[in-house]
Amino acid sequence: MYAENKNSGQNAPHPADNAKHHERGSLETPVQFVPGVGPYRSRQLERLGVQTLGDLLYYLPRRYLDRSLIVPVAKLDLSDREFTVVGEVAAFKIVGGGTKRRRFELDLVDASGGLRIVWFQGIQYWSKAFKRGQAIAVSGKTHHYRERLQMTHPAVDFLDENESLGLKAKTGTIISLYSSNAALRAIGLDSRGFRRIMAEGIKLSAGHVPDFLPEELRSKYNLLSRADTLKMVHFPEKMDQKEEALKRLRYEELFSVQLTLARRQYLRKAKQQGIKFPHPEPGALTSRAVKHLPFKLTKGQLSVLTDIREDMESQYPMNRLLQGDVGSGKTAVAMMALAMAVEGGYQGALMAPTEVLAEQHSRTLGVFFKELGISTELLIGGLKTTERKRRLKAIVSGEVDIIIGTHALIQEGVDFAKLGLAIIDEQHRFGVAQRLKLRKKGTTPDVLVMTATPIPRSLALTLYGDLDVSILLEKPGSIKPITTRILNGSDRDKLFDFLKTEIGKGRQAFLVYPLVEQSEKLDLQAAVDSYKELKGGTMKDFQLGLLHGRMSTEEKDRVMTAFSSGDIDLLISTTVIEVGIDIPNATVMAVMGAQRFGLSQLHQLRGRVGRGEIRGVCALVIDPPITKEARDRLAVLAETEDGFKIADADLRIRGGGEFFGTRQHGAPDFKIADPIEHRDLLEAARRDAFEWVERDPDLKQFVPLRAHFERAYGPRMELMDVG
Ligand code: ADP
Ligand code: MG
């Protein structure tokens, strides 16, 4: 996490190793010295990453049982919500077997009546878990069985006697519940066990909890002190207190992540030596390139290029994200940036996520730059050995100026003579490691990553937290609004009629079938079958093409070239065409099984049409059975073409963790805060962190805070180093 500090990190001695040097009760106290823990339990706790008293206190409740939500048995009903019942175990037994299904039944009683609870699974475990007379809380939904209410497989929490007394006596207790597992429960560390050792831990730490957030920040947001926070997060008296405690913990977490990013950005800009590209002479290559474009750059494109120019001329390495919706003209920006690199005497590289896309870029850039006397070369997998060797040689000798390619660019054996600028197109398709590899192909080259994925700002701040961000808002006038229609599977014929009419007017169309991993063959088949069926029937008068991921590079290339030169009228494909393809004469995008795609993915597909003079049409065909949910979801696309709005809707539907597989792409894994849900707090923490780095670049004040987070997050945070 803090790469510049060699003394911290994984190699640092663990606090528990030099416990002697720590005052008893300090948060560094090894957890085994907490009363009630001991050597045996501490070994199990270490498996959870809990080694010190501090770690223990940061092991937060998974949820809270609010007494006010507890319902007496007599008041239970069949409504479809979760109830919590607190009572005593009256009886239990294993029943059934033979013809009757084996199960474990338990009768729970409270002052108002009795409730039957049933387990069909984990019978062995549960049959040993209870004692008669024991107080427990169960949470779950009720259902009817033979005229009686019962609960099946509820969540169970064991309660202390005084807790259950407390509950009965209606004192204002809130009970914290902790994640546990069989091994922990076996040594008494269920929620009740945890509450006991937490209480001891709080007692032990009294007077030893330094606050690592400065007073200035605490008072700014009215945050609890750290000592109060830890007390209240485990033993709140009211639900508000737990909220206050959580707010402070979330801020702490978000702030330290942002502090790391801010520090890294500071180091990059202040300390790292990048390439200092010269300021251009009038009439130099880039200005000739700008004039050579078939269109005038938009204001947005020009302003992004100014950002890039500044970065490239500065002494620090550029690390910039260009966010621009589909069709906003990112390729032209990339081309001009590449021209700047070549003008400065360096090579430039453009990496795309798919071969189809790399080839398209190679065609566009190849023609354009050739006319300016700049050489380009394509590097993808599957080249013949002699051809590959020839191209590698041209790259390492510096004979070629601009290299376009796929992952093949970052493989071993690919060496550049003088890589000055690395651009990554559709960056969300690449992992962090791949970005890093491309960067390492040069000596601190400038890096520009481009994405059409309108990542909500809050996610962008954590995903790309130390990158500078440029946004292309407007689309060039050449891009027209697209008409989007949602169709039922049964309207296929209407769709094909429409396709025929359009193609009859000399236009081209896409027909896309979904490709779902689990049934790749099947879906592939859908595209292939449709191709055959249409070719022999409805569409026999037209030129049809088929494109899918299993075809060889040459085949794909042949099909794409034929489509872009107009030799194919209707391209039937799986989602291999998803990103980046630019064919102005294509006006219809028909997507079959549209409900199986993510909204942002569909938005990308739709962005493939309507790039020329004529307005595009996008038909989203839903397979039966059509649910209202699927329809509502797709309706978002019919309503807006704003990629940000669509991404937000996607996010609401699919949730943050799922978003474009952020996990796999190296988003820091927050433990407490959620960058989406707590986005306001995140923004605030980010501002604070960046301000603080300005004032105190070495962050001397925050040594304990950073040490804490480095310990708690360790290697997971290292991913963020890559940026
Ligand atoms: P994306 O940002 O989705 O990668 P592209 O770079 O493919 O978008 O550009 C979309 C289309 O807009 C292309 O056909 C491109 O030639 C065209 N284009 C880009 N910039 C301009 C401009 N300034 N004026 C007119 N057309 C432009
Ligand atoms: Mg593009």
Side-chain angles (χ1 to χ4, degrees):
M1 174 175 177
Y2 309 116
E4 73 278 11
N5 183 356
K6 288 275 182 319
N7 293 326
S8 53
Q10 283 158 297
N11 297 331
H14 187 273
D17 297 341
N18 45 26
K20 288 175 234 67
H21 308 301
H22 291 291
E23 213 179 327
R24 183 110 171 176
S26 81
L27 294 183
E28 282 79 24
T29 309
V31 71
Q32 74 171 88
F33 298 134
V34 175
V37 177
Y40 190 61
R41 281 181 164 180
S42 73
R43 269 198 295 282
Q44 291 297 333
L45 285 171
E46 281 188 20
R47 300 207 170 153
L48 299 176
V50 174
Q51 297 176 316
T52 63
L53 173 57
D55 296 339
L56 181 69
L57 296 181
Y58 273 83
Y59 190 75
L60 303 185
R62 134 183 82 87
R63 64 191 183 94
Y64 297 84
L65 200 65
D66 183 349
R67 220 209 73 251
S68 63
L69 297 179
I70 294 171
V71 179
V73 169
K75 293 252 170 80
L76 290 176
D77 58 44
L78 274 172
S79 56
D80 187 37
R81 66 178 181 100
E82 193 165 288
F83 291 106
T84 298
V85 178
V86 172
E88 270 173 26
V89 175
F92 50 82
K93 58 178 184 300
I94 297 177
V95 291
T99 52
K100 262 181 104 187
R101 191 158 169 210
R102 225 170 97 87
R103 61 191 185 276
F104 178 66
E105 290 185 351
L106 181 146
D107 291 321
L108 183 73
V109 291
D110 71 2
S112 72
L115 176 69
R116 166 74 46 88
I117 300 169
V118 184
W119 282 269
F120 295 101
Q121 272 138 38
I123 295 176
Q124 281 311 317
Y125 171 77
W126 290 113
S127 67
K128 296 200 187 78
F130 300 100
K131 287 197 205 81
R132 280 182 59 182
Q134 183 176 26
I136 58 172
V138 294
S139 306
K141 286 183 185 174
T142 55
H143 59 92
H144 248 158
Y145 182 74
R146 300 208 173 142
E147 324 264 289
R148 269 189 71 169
L149 277 179
Q150 95 179 17
M151 246 186 219
T152 303
H153 295 166
V156 177
D157 289 289
F158 297 93
L159 305 177
D160 244 350
E161 235 155 83
N162 47 15
E163 278 165 355
S164 61
L165 282 178
L167 290 168
K168 282 183 200 153
K170 298 196 190 298
T171 55
T173 323
I174 289 170
I175 303 179
S176 326
L177 305 177
Y178 296 83
S179 302
S180 185
N181 56 39
L184 288 168
R185 279 192 292 268
I187 54 170
L189 289 181
D190 51 16
S191 283
R192 176 181 45 180
F194 268 112
R195 284 192 298 275
R196 286 181 183 155
I197 60 174
M198 289 302 176
E200 294 293 348
I202 299 277
K203 237 190 279 171
L204 184 62
S205 70
H208 295 280
V209 186
D211 204 316
F212 48 36
L213 281 180
E215 175 54 36
E216 183 185 328
L217 291 177
R218 267 169 38 211
S219 57
K220 188 167 169 186
Y221 303 104
N222 250 325
L223 300 176
L224 293 177
S225 75
R226 191 165 171 228
D228 285 346
T229 300
L230 293 177
K231 213 179 298 163
M232 288 181 188
V233 81
H234 294 289
F235 300 104
E237 277 161 24
K238 284 190 242 123
M239 284 309 228
D240 301 357
Q241 289 185 340
K242 149 227 146 190
E243 269 315 312
E244 284 299 306
L246 284 174
K247 177 177 154 196
R248 144 101 204 203
L249 291 169
R250 284 177 198 132
Y251 180 83
E252 221 174 81
E253 180 178 51
L254 294 166
F255 180 69
S256 35
V257 168
Q258 293 302 326
L259 212 50
T260 304
L261 296 169
R263 166 96 175 133
R264 201 156 59 228
Q265 191 182 78
Y266 164 80
L267 287 177
R268 172 163 62 83
K269 294 201 166 164
K271 299 270 164 70
Q272 241 175 303
Q273 276 305 319
I275 303 164
K276 211 173 153 183
F277 286 90
H279 196 69
E281 306 287 322
L285 181 60
T286 311
S287 41
R288 277 192 288 133
V290 170
K291 287 196 197 99
H292 194 61
L293 281 169
F295 42 73
K296 248 184 93 199
L297 290 170
T298 62
K299 270 205 209 101
Q301 285 167 321
L302 284 170
S303 117
V304 172
L305 281 166
T306 309
D307 293 344
I308 293 173
R309 168 69 82 189
E310 267 171 29
D311 281 347
M312 287 179 70
E313 286 178 11
S314 76
Q315 102 299 331
Y316 57 80
M318 168 163 79
N319 203 12
R320 184 169 290 278
L321 171 72
L322 170 54
Q323 260 197 76
D325 204 355
V326 210
S328 59
K330 293 184 293 296
T331 315
V333 171
M335 283 161 70
M336 295 308 105
L338 288 166
M340 289 180 207
V342 176
E343 180 182 278
Y346 285 84
Q347 287 171 307
L350 174 61
M351 181 160 83
T354 63
E355 293 192 347
V356 171
L357 198 54
E359 283 157 2
Q360 172 186 286
H361 282 324
S362 165
R363 277 192 299 273
T364 319
L365 273 62
V367 175
F368 180 82
F369 282 117
K370 194 169 176 199
E371 290 163 1
L372 291 166
I374 301 175
S375 57
T376 59
E377 193 60 272
L378 174 68
L379 194 69
I380 50 178
L383 293 171
K384 296 226 173 63
T385 317
T386 44
E387 186 53 25
R388 182 178 151 81
K389 273 197 183 140
R390 188 188 66 70
R391 296 188 190 183
L392 287 178
K393 224 177 121 202
I395 298 170
V396 73
S397 68
E399 198 180 306
V400 37
D401 302 311
I402 293 173
I403 300 96
I404 299 137
T406 53
H407 301 87
L409 278 185
I410 52 175
Q411 270 153 18
E412 249 171 73
V414 184
D415 297 306
F416 292 78
K418 215 181 167 193
L419 182 63
L421 171 68
I423 303 183
I424 299 174
D425 193 16
E426 305 299 347
Q427 108 78 30
H428 66 282
R429 292 300 203 82
F430 290 101
V432 178
Q434 290 163 317
R435 257 189 278 163
L436 183 65
K437 271 192 187 163
L438 183 59
R439 178 180 299 179
K440 286 201 168 146
K441 291 286 178 188
T443 325
T444 37
D446 284 328
V447 174
L448 175 69
V449 295
M450 309 197 294
T451 182
T453 308
I455 314 144
R457 187 177 146 77
S458 53
L459 260 190
L461 291 186
T462 54
L463 272 176
Y464 311 111
D466 82 324
L467 276 69
D468 295 302
V469 181
S470 298
I471 299 179
L472 267 180
L473 279 178
E474 49 174 345
K475 296 186 186 178
S478 59
I479 305 280
K480 309 249 166 3
I482 299 168
T483 311
T484 300
R485 293 264 179 278
I486 299 170
L487 301 177
N488 293 341
S490 54
D491 290 337
R492 259 171 62 116
D493 290 345
K494 262 194 251 166
L495 173 69
F496 292 142
D497 285 344
F498 176 67
L499 286 173
K500 275 195 277 192
T501 321
E502 283 293 295
I503 295 170
K505 292 182 197 158
R507 297 175 197 152
Q508 290 165 281
F510 295 94
L511 180 59
V512 177
Y513 284 84
L515 189 64
V516 178
E517 264 164 57
Q518 298 92 304
S519 57
E520 197 172 328
K521 275 205 188 115
L522 216 90
D523 290 309
L524 190 60
Q525 209 49 47
V528 173
D529 287 349
S530 159
Y531 172 74
K532 284 189 189 146
E533 184 198 323
L534 294 173
K535 200 176 157 79
T538 332
M539 300 278 175
K540 61 178 185 313
D541 299 333
F542 303 110
Q543 292 303 316
L544 268 50
L546 178 66
L547 185 75
H548 59 73
R550 295 219 171 163
M551 289 162 53
S552 73
T553 310
E554 291 86 56
E555 280 176 295
K556 276 191 272 186
D557 192 22
R558 200 171 38 73
V559 174
M560 268 332 285
T561 316
F563 190 57
S564 74
S565 62
D567 293 340
I568 290 175
D569 303 312
L570 176 66
L571 183 65
I572 297 167
S573 97
T574 55
T575 49
V576 288
I577 52 144
E578 181 193 335
V579 291
I581 295 301
D582 184 32
I583 292 168
N585 192 45
T587 56
V588 187
M589 169 61 66
V591 184
M592 310 302 279
Q595 79 280 4
R596 293 216 246 155
F597 293 81
L599 293 183
S600 294
Q601 212 180 357
L602 290 170
H603 178 60
Q604 284 279 341
L605 282 171
R606 172 169 70 178
R608 298 303 115 224
V609 298
R611 298 182 148 236
E613 296 302 304
I614 297 131
R615 205 180 153 104
V617 176
C618 173
L620 303 173
V621 185
I622 312 182
D623 287 338
I626 304 151
T627 62
K628 184 178 172 318
E629 200 190 337
R631 225 172 214 294
D632 289 350
R633 200 167 72 89
L634 294 177
V636 175
L637 285 168
E639 277 158 25
T640 180
E641 267 191 71
D642 180 333
F644 279 95
K645 281 193 191 143
I646 291 166
D648 259 353
D650 229 3
L651 197 64
R652 273 201 311 280
I653 295 160
R654 292 196 292 166
E658 287 294 305
F659 201 73
F660 303 111
T662 48
R663 240 156 254 278
Q664 143 202 350
H665 290 117
D669 213 345
F670 290 94
K671 286 183 176 176
I672 308 170
D674 175 339
I676 306 295
E677 200 182 327
H678 311 119
R679 57 178 98 184
D680 294 343
L681 203 57
L682 167 64
E683 297 263 4
R686 180 171 175 88
R687 271 193 310 273
D688 296 336
F690 277 72
E691 264 173 37
W692 215 282
V693 167
E694 295 273 299
R695 275 196 265 167
D696 168 23
D698 292 326
L699 299 176
K700 291 201 188 71
Q701 284 218 45
F702 295 106
V703 173
L705 174 82
R706 300 172 81 206
H708 167 78
F709 275 87
E710 186 173 337
R711 254 177 66 58
Y713 291 75
R716 292 196 288 176
M717 297 288 282
E718 261 157 44
L719 276 173
M720 292 174 39
D721 261 334
V722 184

